[in-house]
Amino acid sequence: MAHRQSRTEAVISDEVMAFLRKIIGRGPDRIHTYMIDALAVVRCCGVLTVFERRLVDTVQGRNTVKDLREQVFRSGAEELSGRLEGCTGRRVLYVHSSISPERDEWVYVIEFEDGLAE
């Protein structure tokens, strides 16, 4: 059974989508947010560009994509935190990001100061 996003989860998904469109130039094909107490887990699928998809055929290419995306994320992490604080009204304590070029997936774990129960 599929998990249906709450309003807060959908708002977080929308903000992450807008952020990725701004810094990468495109958003993921699919995005879904799951709230667990004060944590939001955002799963973005279909995140690689056409060029990046060609690179992931080799170990060196996968590492290049991971390194580049990590740098892009770090350069915009403060902006993402601000966007999330603005849309949820809750302070963001930490945002962690991990990309899997092999799976064409980028996952964010966001820790808020307080829970975001609806």
Side-chain angles (χ1 to χ4, degrees):
M1 184 171 178
H3 170 262
R4 184 169 178 189
Q5 290 190 122
S6 69
R7 182 186 167 291
T8 301
E9 290 167 333
V11 166
I12 291 169
S13 290
D14 290 345
E15 285 302 322
V16 172
M17 175 74 80
F19 170 74
L20 290 174
R21 283 184 177 146
K22 180 179 177 187
I23 65 168
I24 303 294
R26 69 180 292 274
D29 295 336
R30 290 184 328 277
I31 187 168
H32 200 94
T33 298
Y34 305 87
M35 292 301 307
I36 307 161
D37 297 324
L39 293 178
V41 178
V42 183
R43 183 177 181 210
C44 305
C45 302
V47 295
L48 300 181
T49 65
V50 172
F51 178 70
E52 288 171 329
R53 278 189 228 119
R54 290 184 184 188
L55 286 177
V56 300
D57 290 338
T58 67
V59 172
Q60 182 179 3
R62 287 189 293 274
N63 289 337
T64 298
V65 170
K66 286 176 91 165
D67 291 344
L68 180 61
R69 288 294 182 109
E70 179 65 26
Q71 289 175 15
V72 167
F73 168 72
R74 278 190 302 231
S75 73
E78 192 172 310
E79 177 184 343
L80 178 59
S81 292
R83 283 175 169 267
L84 294 170
E85 288 177 359
C87 76
T88 63
R90 298 284 194 263
R91 187 166 153 250
V92 172
L93 299 177
Y94 185 76
V95 180
H96 172 75
S97 137
S98 181
I99 188 165
S100 172
E102 302 88 347
R103 292 181 50 94
D104 195 2
E105 185 174 272
W106 203 349
V107 175
Y108 295 86
V109 177
I110 302 139
E111 182 181 1
F112 291 91
E113 187 171 53
D114 301 315
L116 295 171
E118 298 254 315

